[in-house]
Amino acid sequence: MSRPIRNIAIVAHVDHGKTTLVDALLWQSGTFRANQEVRERVMDSMDLEREKGITIMAKNTAVSYKGTKINIVDTPGHADFGGEVERTLRMVDGIMLLVDAAEGPLPQTRFVLSKALALGLPAIVVINKIDRSDARPQEVLNEVYDLFIDLDAHEEQIEFPVLYAVARDGQCTTDLSQPLTDLGPLFETIVSHLPAPVGDESASVQVLVTNVVPDSYLGPLAIGRVVNGTLKERQQVLLCHRDGRRTATSVSSLFTYEGLERVTAAEVGPGDIVAVGGMAGIGLGESIADALDPHPLPALRVDEPTMSMEFRINDGPFSGREGKYVTSRNLRDRLLKEGETNLAMRIEETDSPDRYLVYGRGELQMAILIEQMRRENYEFCVGKPQVITKRVDGAVHEPYEIALIDVAEAYVGAVVQKMGLRKGQMTKMVNHGSGRVRLEFQVPSRGLIGYRTEFMTDTKGTGILTHLFDTYRPWAGEIDHRATGALVADRTGRVTGYAVLNLQERGELFVAPQDDTYMGMIVGENSRDVDLEVNITKEKKLTNMRAASADSFEKLIPPRRFSLEECIEFIRDDELIEVTPKSIRLRKRYLDANERKRMGTVTASE
């Protein structure tokens, strides 16, 4: 008889401590007994996750507690990766909702909870970070109850167990009046409160595939949950695709999870999470069925994208200098591969073989894809993000977001003013009495494009801005994006200190002496609202009256260097970001000034 199983997903808003808690659960279950030094954020295995300090891809692990196997799925907390959360919830029988003891429920908390409640999943609520100086656990718990009621939770779902924790130290308690202990009470609550998986071992095999990962030796591994039946190694199965096709194959290898490792298994029963080899061609959300008696599961679907971004080959003069994959075929194959492995993204070909449209959830999701591709030695250009509109009763509708802003009282006026310019409408204001105010806005998605950097400047880096897709509403009208123009190089060459010295009064420069530039490249931000062509390679004319050493280069202002996210926020419709493994440059869509004039984008000359 197989041992009992519990399947649980840990969900929360970004930076509320999910991955830290999973690390503590692994540590206290004995997974790190041999080497306790490796417990720091072990679930964030991607380089980008470690660098940014966020979870991007949902990952699963398993621990044992008193004879019960607990499959744990760590999910992303950022709204842009909601597709990861949606597919994950189909693998589990309950959720652990983690909420910060000071910040309380935030937009992504609402999103993941609404998805879980819609699937009828029971919840365990953990109020984390109760050691914070501004913690207010009792108020936060009341806000969680309000959230459950607002989402029309059933009476059984509202009667959830509550624990209070400091995940960083691996401690928790069921009562604030009692001292903190280890995570034993949390393990006990998982085993006692969550239902065991339901499934028939003797029924026809049904496996829901929620992820596909490459393996150098075994080929594509399909990760999913055995819903019914018993899956065996070397068994003949059918891959049931979402378009109705069925492909015959066999299970070449079969694994379950123990701690952080995949463990080979001869057979796996219903309820367990498995990795299956030999599944070439299977897609996310599709299913594996018995070859002799197939009963496919309904294909998994997630919410539609709300934003698109143009990806195109790099046709600039520096193309091919730094990247390995530069052709349209390379770009097409990589994007189609991403579309197969990411349910929340959709790839669409255009009338040009050199351009593709990528549909996704938000700027961060797009930035992660771009950064992954440049680290894989791809070279390409991307355009400004565009929202996806719909026609409802003949009128244009656009996506709206719920924006939740937490700022000090001194910055409320600046934030309200800027959100007003971006067509945002304030729906709620709460002052917690600690000198900080929480504002809630309904704002068009395009109004938030490019706002984060400006927001951090207005709040001196102390503000918190989170947002989540709400619904489609009528078009809000024009929204000003960038009030300044660009300084555009009028020729190809190398930047000189003399040119920088004379141009820096025109605006803020993005290049330094000895940087390579080309005609049409954006080298700075004009202080006025028009684009200006400049000669950034101009050299000083030497005469016998004055030597070149007399120049005052000590007056040069250091250039502004953009991150990828800042570039996405900065560019206009007629501008592109050139992305290579070593460089990120800003450029005009049409490099030649005469061509820009023909296409209707006017650039003044210095």
Side-chain angles (χ1 to χ4, degrees):
M1 183 178 177
S2 59
R3 59 177 168 163
I5 295 174
R6 298 293 185 272
N7 297 318
I8 188 169
I10 300 186
V11 297
H13 191 85
V14 64
D15 202 31
H16 278 197
K18 297 180 303 300
T19 303
T20 304
L21 182 59
V22 175
D23 287 352
L25 289 169
L26 286 166
W27 170 51
Q28 294 192 19
S29 67
T31 304
F32 296 131
R33 189 172 297 147
N35 181 7
Q36 296 187 6
E37 297 301 320
V38 299
R39 53 180 281 234
E40 187 66 27
R41 295 190 67 82
V42 70
M43 292 297 288
D44 282 347
S45 54
M46 294 173 57
D47 290 341
L48 277 173
E49 290 178 322
R50 294 183 181 277
E51 291 171 15
K52 294 180 177 294
I54 61 173
T55 300
I56 296 170
M57 297 292 292
K59 303 172 195 68
N60 52 291
T61 184
V63 300
S64 292
Y65 180 75
K66 294 183 179 180
T68 299
K69 180 180 182 182
I70 304 175
N71 287 312
I72 303 172
V73 185
D74 181 24
T75 64
H78 199 284
D80 286 14
F81 308 111
E84 290 288 306
V85 179
E86 290 184 74
R87 69 174 178 81
T88 295
L89 293 178
R90 293 287 295 272
M91 297 172 63
V92 300
D93 302 299
I95 63 167
M96 184 188 303
L97 181 66
L98 208 63
V99 184
D100 190 294
E103 296 179 3
L106 292 177
Q108 184 69 354
T109 314
R110 183 185 187 90
F111 170 77
V112 295
L113 183 59
S114 66
K115 295 296 181 182
L117 294 178
L119 292 172
L121 298 177
I124 297 170
V125 173
V126 178
I127 310 296
N128 191 29
K129 304 184 183 180
I130 62 171
D131 59 332
R132 286 183 55 163
S133 59
D134 55 348
R136 47 187 188 92
Q138 196 56 53
E139 292 179 43
V140 167
L141 179 58
N142 292 334
E143 292 174 6
V144 172
Y145 277 117
D146 291 341
L147 180 58
F148 271 76
I149 294 170
D150 191 37
L151 293 174
D152 296 325
H154 300 308
E155 186 176 343
E156 298 80 14
Q157 292 174 318
I158 295 178
E159 295 176 354
F160 50 78
V162 181
L163 293 96
Y164 305 90
V166 180
R168 182 190 58 205
D169 300 333
Q171 295 181 322
C172 74
T173 182
T174 57
D175 190 340
L176 282 173
S177 62
Q178 301 297 319
L180 293 167
T181 64
D182 61 13
L183 295 179
L186 182 55
F187 281 114
E188 291 286 353
T189 304
I190 293 173
V191 173
S192 62
H193 183 70
L194 294 190
V198 177
D200 185 355
E201 292 185 0
S202 59
S204 176
V205 169
Q206 293 176 309
V207 181
L208 179 65
V209 178
T210 57
N211 197 8
V212 180
V213 297
D215 189 284
S216 303
Y217 300 100
L218 303 172
L221 285 175
I223 298 174
R225 172 175 172 162
V226 181
V227 177
N228 276 309
T230 302
L231 188 64
K232 301 177 181 179
E233 195 173 12
R234 306 301 176 189
Q235 182 176 353
Q236 297 297 312
V237 295
L238 290 179
L239 306 183
C240 304
H241 304 285
R242 77 176 59 240
D243 59 3
R245 292 181 300 109
R246 298 182 181 183
T247 309
T249 187
S250 65
V251 178
S252 62
S253 52
L254 186 61
F255 302 92
T256 59
Y257 287 86
E258 293 288 347
L260 302 175
E261 304 295 330
R262 288 198 302 257
V263 180
T264 57
E267 61 179 47
V268 180
D272 210 346
I273 296 174
V274 296
V276 191
M279 302 293 109
I282 192 71
L284 289 186
E286 298 177 345
S287 59
I288 301 170
D290 194 313
L292 300 178
D293 184 23
H295 294 280
L297 293 166
L300 175 63
R301 301 192 182 277
V302 300
D303 288 346
E304 288 294 307
T306 58
M307 181 179 291
S308 68
M309 203 167 183
E310 175 190 3
F311 282 61
R312 55 183 289 172
I313 63 168
N314 181 16
D315 58 357
F318 293 170
S319 175
R321 283 191 181 186
E322 300 173 353
K324 181 179 178 181
Y325 305 109
V326 297
T327 66
S328 59
R329 180 181 61 84
N330 295 143
L331 181 61
R332 176 182 181 274
D333 291 347
R334 177 62 179 85
L335 291 176
L336 291 180
K337 178 183 175 184
E338 185 68 25
E340 292 173 358
T341 58
N342 191 333
L343 277 179
M345 275 192 169
R346 192 174 77 242
I347 313 301
E348 185 178 290
E349 299 187 32
T350 65
D351 52 1
S352 169
D354 298 335
R355 296 175 57 249
Y356 303 90
L357 291 178
V358 178
Y359 295 86
R361 291 283 184 88
E363 296 171 70
L364 180 60
Q365 187 186 33
M366 297 293 188
I368 293 296
L369 172 60
I370 294 168
E371 185 63 34
Q372 287 175 331
M373 289 178 64
R374 71 184 290 242
R375 294 186 183 201
E376 296 167 10
N377 281 320
Y378 284 85
E379 186 174 308
F380 54 98
C381 290
V382 296
K384 178 188 172 184
Q386 305 287 341
V387 297
I388 301 172
T389 59
K390 294 182 179 180
R391 281 205 168 269
V392 180
D393 298 330
V396 177
H397 283 56
E398 63 176 324
Y400 268 68
E401 309 260 341
I402 295 176
L404 203 61
I405 296 176
D406 194 295
V407 294
E409 292 178 352
Y411 307 128
V412 169
V415 170
V416 172
Q417 179 188 10
K418 293 292 177 65
M419 290 297 286
L421 294 174
R422 294 170 178 269
K423 308 296 183 181
Q425 296 182 348
M426 184 163 47
T427 58
K428 188 184 297 184
M429 175 188 287
V430 179
N431 191 328
H432 292 299
S434 58
R436 296 187 69 84
V437 179
R438 180 168 297 179
L439 310 172
E440 187 173 308
F441 291 87
Q442 290 179 345
V443 58
S445 297
R446 59 193 172 97
L448 292 174
I449 297 176
Y451 177 57
R452 186 171 295 275
T453 301
E454 191 176 344
F455 170 76
M456 296 307 290
T457 301
D458 289 342
T459 62
K460 305 295 188 292
T462 62
I464 300 173
L465 168 64
T466 57
H467 54 90
L468 182 70
F469 170 71
D470 182 23
T471 185
Y472 274 81
R473 290 194 177 93
W475 183 263
E478 291 301 317
I479 298 176
D480 292 333
H481 172 56
R482 195 178 83 213
T484 56
L487 300 177
V488 185
D490 65 356
R491 67 198 70 195
T492 300
R494 185 160 288 181
V495 177
T496 64
Y498 178 74
V500 170
L501 190 64
N502 289 285
L503 286 174
Q504 58 191 14
E505 64 182 19
R506 295 279 191 180
E508 189 174 21
L509 295 178
F510 306 154
V511 293
Q514 300 306 308
D515 285 351
D516 290 325
T517 62
Y518 55 81
M519 182 174 64
M521 178 174 162
I522 298 174
V523 296
E525 181 179 10
N526 192 7
S527 56
R528 299 187 178 182
D529 61 354
V530 295
D531 294 340
L532 181 66
E533 286 188 57
V534 297
N535 180 4
I536 197 70
T537 65
K538 187 175 182 179
E539 296 183 355
K540 177 177 171 53
K541 301 297 183 184
L542 302 181
T543 69
N544 59 356
M545 299 298 293
R546 184 169 58 184
S549 58
D551 290 328
S552 302
F553 289 149
E554 67 274 6
K555 296 180 181 177
L556 294 183
I557 301 172
R560 178 183 178 186
R561 300 296 190 184
F562 281 109
S563 66
L564 177 59
E565 289 85 352
E566 289 172 333
C567 287
I568 293 174
E569 293 179 358
F570 181 81
I571 60 173
R572 286 175 167 170
D573 292 332
D574 65 329
E575 297 166 352
L576 298 172
I577 306 170
E578 179 184 332
V579 181
T580 75
K582 297 180 180 178
S583 308
I584 297 177
R585 304 183 184 94
L586 300 176
R587 49 162 282 189
K588 285 294 181 179
R589 183 177 294 270
Y590 304 103
L591 299 178
D592 184 80
N594 294 323
E595 189 175 4
R596 287 200 294 275
K597 291 176 183 176
R598 284 199 306 271
M599 300 308 294
T601 57
V602 180
T603 307
S605 298
E606 186 185 18

